[in-house]
Amino acid sequence: MSKNIWDIFAPVYEFAMRSQKDIYDFMYGRISEIARGKDVLELATGPGMIARHIAPHANHVVATDFAPKMIETARKAKNPENVRFEVADATSLRFMDKSFDVVVIANALHIIPEPSRALAEIRRVLKDDGVLIAPNF
């Protein structure tokens, strides 16, 4: 999908996801358990829903999206101090090798044109004993 589509959808994305609240609440709880005290990278954060919910449990969360309007929307919310939002392409990350304990990419691998490139980047930035969380529903 094009960046333009996600930029257009950014202001209403979180509202649209309310119909899946139970699923998201379950996911927030499970990811928070794994992220406890860890450095987390979230790819395809959208408006930052996961990042905001897991941040109180994590050491630090870097939440990224390739659509600038999604990041702009995420930054407008009330966010914990240990969350940083930035524009980034999951297939070409600027982070150093082995810099995250956990990488989260929810509901996005299936829409990335070259998911193998994103997975290669995830492997590169994830610590050897790190965890990839990639729920899709």
Side-chain angles (χ1 to χ4, degrees):
M1 297 188 122
S2 78
K3 189 182 301 187
N4 191 33
I5 289 170
W6 293 111
D7 280 341
I8 292 167
F9 198 42
V12 297
Y13 186 86
E14 192 164 357
F15 177 77
M17 295 299 99
R18 287 185 185 164
S19 67
Q20 299 175 356
K21 183 183 181 324
D22 292 342
I23 294 169
Y24 274 93
D25 286 346
F26 175 78
M27 188 171 59
Y28 299 146
R30 294 300 303 268
I31 295 171
S32 293
E33 291 170 16
I34 296 166
R36 188 170 308 282
K38 297 189 171 125
D39 292 325
V40 178
L41 170 63
E42 184 187 7
L43 304 171
T45 192
M49 296 159 45
I50 293 173
R52 271 192 295 287
H53 281 85
I54 68 170
H57 308 279
N59 179 46
H60 186 75
V61 178
V62 177
T64 69
D65 202 285
F66 84 134
K69 291 285 187 189
M70 283 292 192
I71 295 300
E72 181 181 313
T73 300
R75 287 178 177 155
K76 288 179 182 177
K78 183 177 181 196
N79 293 301
E81 289 184 20
N82 65 333
V83 176
R84 183 176 82 237
F85 291 101
E86 57 186 68
V87 175
D89 180 342
T91 65
S92 180
L93 299 169
R94 65 161 190 83
F95 307 108
M96 292 176 41
D97 294 358
K98 302 179 187 323
S99 52
F100 294 96
D101 302 298
V102 178
V103 175
V104 178
I105 181 168
N107 293 318
L109 276 174
H110 64 287
I111 60 172
I112 294 175
E114 295 181 75
S116 60
R117 285 185 59 204
L119 288 168
E121 280 293 271
I122 290 167
R123 174 176 280 146
R124 184 183 65 74
V125 302
L126 199 55
K127 292 178 181 175
D128 290 337
D129 60 347
V131 176
L132 167 61
I133 302 172
N136 286 283
F137 49 88

